[in-house]
């Protein structure tokens, strides 16, 4: 362990960490939005659309993220899609995670008790109102824990972006290791940064979950 | 116009090969209270759910205040599904209370009651809150308006559910085993609310296992078994003078179990 070395490379490590957080948060947010849209669209009784979206989910869940990223970054130009490494990385994370988020939201919709929807139907509420006021809140609450889980997994998938030269944390760590021949120091620094990220995500997630489900526990709710 | 509030004529319904309802005739007059009793699996809940078309029926007519629900009869004997909009309009007039309350857990008691008033009756937030508060007081829960369902006992939750249905000012109320999911000591408070509703002249169709309640509150009892109404009449008749062996057997078991 060499503190001087770590100190010297700290600026590049911090910049790498910044890029990691940026790619993860933007990619994750886009993935959430896209995944939600897919789950919602799959509820429409239009078969071709359902099949198409199902195929999308199967492809992006069923193939390695690394391969998707390569295709997007190196194969993209062949179909006129010229992206910078970072843009390709963010888009790749968004597409990849959207497939998982779509499944999480689908399960969330499935977890809404039929009785709650029947109650809304029996008072004559319109389908859109039922969706907005009954189905969605219940589905989102059910989906919150697996969403936080997926976001944590996604934060660690960002290391793959180093392979298409996105200057994120893994990339900086590899550079540091190559320039100084110190594998351990570099890896140690990386572990600390990732731990920092995951720890704050899971804490934030736990707080959000608690807030969302406070009313479910007899003592926890604030009226 | 003197059409019965609810009129069922020859109502049939199958789930696949299983015939749940086999030509049920039943009518409930204005301000009348009718209890449906019978063994489980006899079709009484299905029958009740056909009245507001939560369950579709395959044959026969279900009429609410003279209007066919769920279908539209065209000239030439053709029947097609009613438009979703018209069905919603009819459902507004039919309150329903479920066995498992079916409150929306993410809303407080007052929001559960106010929500349909805002979305369906188009009341403003203030008007809906006022009416919801009044309804909660009426079922004895004025003080728990801001509690979430998880903070209420089963009996309280069911009373909120009754308030939610009543706030819509329905023409009639359907109850699907409203006390079956409750602890025995909480049954009374729910029955009390139902009793007062009956006394105020609400038209009610009730599926229940509470024989004492049925005997005291119902104007008529209908006994269902195997998807048919086997006997029907004033409580005294069904409970004490029925000639139907199936009815007598059912009530005997009931009597044996509840006497000690």
């Amino acid at each position: 362990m060499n503190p001087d070395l770590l100190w010297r490379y700290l600026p590049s490590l911090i910049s790498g960490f910044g890029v990691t957080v940026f790619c993860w948060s933007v990619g994750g947010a886009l993935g959430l939005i896209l995944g939600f849209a897919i789950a919602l669209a799959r509820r429409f009784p239009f078969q071709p659309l359902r099949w198409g979206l199902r195929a999308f989910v199967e492809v992006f869940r069923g193939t390695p993220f690394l391969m998707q990223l390569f295709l997007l970054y190196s194969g993209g130009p062949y179909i006129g899609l010229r992206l910078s490494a970072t843009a390709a990385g963010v888009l790749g994370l968004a597409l990849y995670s959207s497939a998982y988020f779509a499944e999480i939201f689908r399960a969330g919709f499935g977890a809404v008790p039929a009785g709650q929807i029947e109650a809304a139907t029996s008072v004559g509420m319109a389908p859109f109102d039922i969706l907005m006021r009954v189905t969605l809140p219940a589905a989102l609450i059910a989906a919150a824990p697996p969403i936080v889980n997926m976001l944590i997994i996604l934060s660690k998938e960002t290391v793959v972006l180093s392979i298409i030269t996105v200057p994120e944390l893994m990339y900086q760590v590899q550079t540091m290791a190559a320039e100084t021949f110190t594998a351990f120091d570099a890896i140690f620094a990386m572990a600390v940064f990732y731990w920092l990220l995951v720890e704050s995500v899971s804490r934030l997630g736990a707080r959000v979950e608690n807030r969302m489900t406070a009313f479910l526990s007899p003592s926890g709710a604030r009226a | 116009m003197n059409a019965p509030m609810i009129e069922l004529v020859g109502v049939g319904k199958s789930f696949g090969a299983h015939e749940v309802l086999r030509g049920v005739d039943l009518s409930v007059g204005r301000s009348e209270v009718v209890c449906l009793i019978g063994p489980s699996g006899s079709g009484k809940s299905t029958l009740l759910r056909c009245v507001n078309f939560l369950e579709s029926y395959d044959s026969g007519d279900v009429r609410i205040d003279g209007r066919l629900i769920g279908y539209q009869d065209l000239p030439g004997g053709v029947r097609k599904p009613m438009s979703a909009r018209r069905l919603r309009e009819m459902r507004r007039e039919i309150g329903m209370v479920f066995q498992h309350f079916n409150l929306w857990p993410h809303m407080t008691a007052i929001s559960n009651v106010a929500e349909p008033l805002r979305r369906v009756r188009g009341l403003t937030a203030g008007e809906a809150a006022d009416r919801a508060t009044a309804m909660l007081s009426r079922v004895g829960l004025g003080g728990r308006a801001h509690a979430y369902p998880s903070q209420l006992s089963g009996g309280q939750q069911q009373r909120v559910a009754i308030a939610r249905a009543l706030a819509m000012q329905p023409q009639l109320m359907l109850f699907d085993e409203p006390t079956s999911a409750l602890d025995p000591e909480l049954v009374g408070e729910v029955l009390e609310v139902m009793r007062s509703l009956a006394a105020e002249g609400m038209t009610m169709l009730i599926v229940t296992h509470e024989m004492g309640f049925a005997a005291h509150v119902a104007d008529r009892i209908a006994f269902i078994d195997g998807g048919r109404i086997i006997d029907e009449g004033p409580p005294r008749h069904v409970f004490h003078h029925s000639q139907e062996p199936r009815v007598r057997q059912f009530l005997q078991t009931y009597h044996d179990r509840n006497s000690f």
Side-chain angles (χ1 to χ4, degrees):
Chain A
M1 191 72 131
N2 186 340
D4 289 344
L5 210 59
L6 282 176
W7 186 248
R8 188 143 55 84
Y9 275 90
L10 196 60
S12 76
L13 291 175
I14 287 177
S15 123
F17 184 62
V19 172
T20 290
V21 171
F22 170 79
C23 291
W24 166 76
S25 54
V26 177
L30 291 176
L32 269 169
I33 294 168
L34 186 57
F36 182 70
I38 291 170
L40 209 56
R42 283 180 79 175
R43 294 170 60 79
F44 281 100
F46 179 59
Q47 277 306 331
L49 180 70
R50 283 188 181 188
W51 284 327
L53 292 174
R54 179 146 176 230
F56 175 90
V57 169
E58 292 303 323
V59 166
F60 279 92
R61 270 203 321 174
T63 57
F65 179 48
L66 180 62
M67 187 209 85
Q68 296 168 17
L69 212 52
F70 265 139
L71 277 181
L72 194 63
Y73 186 57
S74 315
Y78 289 101
I79 55 162
L81 189 68
R82 246 167 254 283
L83 295 170
S84 72
T86 305
V90 168
L91 185 61
L93 282 171
L95 290 172
Y96 170 74
S97 64
S98 73
Y100 287 90
F101 286 130
E103 285 297 291
I104 290 171
F105 284 121
R106 189 178 63 84
F109 281 123
V112 182
Q116 288 183 33
I117 295 167
E118 277 190 350
T121 307
S122 77
V123 289
M125 274 168 75
F128 181 74
D129 285 331
I130 296 178
L131 177 71
M132 296 304 288
R133 305 295 301 174
V134 178
T135 313
L136 271 188
L140 290 180
I141 288 160
I147 284 175
V148 171
N149 201 34
M150 184 60 209
L151 283 173
I152 290 173
I153 293 173
L154 197 65
S155 74
K156 288 179 287 190
E157 289 282 7
T158 54
V159 297
V160 177
L161 302 195
S162 65
I163 294 182
I164 58 164
T165 70
V166 177
E168 47 73 75
L169 188 56
M170 183 68 181
Y171 183 86
Q172 302 294 1
V173 163
Q174 282 175 328
T175 308
M176 175 181 167
E179 286 173 5
T180 61
F181 305 105
T182 53
F184 179 75
D185 295 67
I187 298 283
F188 174 77
M190 182 171 88
V192 169
F193 275 113
Y194 269 103
W195 176 79
L196 217 64
L197 178 59
V198 169
E199 191 60 22
S200 35
V201 173
S202 60
R203 278 181 188 230
L204 192 69
R207 281 179 71 158
V208 171
E209 279 174 40
N210 279 339
R211 267 195 101 112
M212 285 175 80
T213 57
F215 60 83
L216 289 175
S217 70
S219 55
R222 282 162 300 166
Chain B
M1 274 296 289
N2 258 336
M5 197 51 117
I6 306 173
E7 187 173 29
L8 288 80
V9 181
V11 174
K13 159 90 186 166
S14 301
F15 289 114
H18 178 53
E19 216 178 341
V20 191
L21 299 175
R22 308 161 186 254
V24 174
D25 298 318
L26 180 73
S27 84
V28 181
R30 230 163 275 269
S31 292
E32 208 181 6
V33 177
V34 174
C35 285
L36 297 171
I37 63 169
S40 36
S42 58
K44 42 191 198 314
S45 282
T46 306
L47 182 64
L48 192 78
R49 291 162 59 84
C50 284
V51 174
N52 66 353
F53 212 69
L54 272 187
E55 206 78 74
S56 63
Y57 50 96
D58 304 332
S59 54
D61 293 351
V62 176
R63 294 182 183 277
I64 307 298
D65 202 10
R67 278 181 68 194
L68 187 69
I69 189 164
Y71 300 105
Q72 193 183 347
D73 280 331
L74 303 174
V78 186
R79 178 170 271 197
K80 68 167 199 178
M82 181 180 231
S83 81
R85 188 195 176 85
R86 302 244 321 207
L87 181 57
R88 289 203 298 274
E89 284 169 7
M90 288 191 76
R91 280 178 176 149
R92 287 172 200 180
E93 309 304 325
I94 309 172
M96 182 151 188
V97 174
F98 301 84
Q99 182 178 357
H100 296 287
F101 331 135
N102 295 353
L103 294 179
W104 300 306
H106 54 285
M107 296 183 200
T108 57
I110 192 171
S111 302
N112 263 279
V113 181
E115 186 67 23
L117 296 176
R118 299 202 57 198
R119 307 287 147 194
V120 181
R121 292 290 190 210
L123 268 57
T124 65
E127 293 164 347
D130 287 347
R131 200 195 285 181
T133 306
M135 284 299 147
L136 286 174
S137 306
R138 177 165 172 193
V139 298
L141 288 173
R144 304 302 319 266
H146 295 285
Y148 283 93
S150 64
Q151 299 169 303
L152 299 171
S153 72
Q156 291 173 329
Q157 289 186 54
Q158 192 60 299
R159 286 188 281 150
V160 174
I162 293 174
R164 174 172 69 182
L166 273 185
M168 292 289 289
Q169 299 175 333
Q171 305 260 352
L172 64 146
M173 291 277 286
L174 308 175
F175 292 85
D176 190 3
E177 300 198 28
T179 58
S180 298
L182 297 177
D183 287 342
E185 73 249 41
L186 301 179
V187 168
E189 61 192 66
V190 171
L191 294 184
E192 197 42 54
V193 170
M194 292 168 65
R195 205 186 304 266
S196 76
L197 264 183
E200 287 164 29
M202 175 61 79
T203 306
M204 294 159 79
L205 183 58
I206 304 165
V207 171
T208 187
H209 292 295
E210 293 293 329
M211 298 303 157
F213 173 82
H216 286 114
V217 178
D219 296 303
R220 266 185 309 127
I221 307 275
F223 183 92
I224 303 190
D225 190 30
R228 267 185 250 273
I229 292 184
I230 295 199
D231 203 357
E232 184 189 341
R236 175 175 293 279
H237 163 78
V238 175
F239 285 129
H240 300 293
H241 304 295
S242 179
Q243 298 305 308
E244 296 292 334
R246 190 70 191 87
V247 177
R248 297 172 73 123
Q249 184 201 342
F250 177 81
L251 291 171
Q252 187 60 47
T253 334
Y254 225 89
H255 185 73
D256 291 346
R257 188 147 54 82
N258 289 309
S259 57
F260 46 82

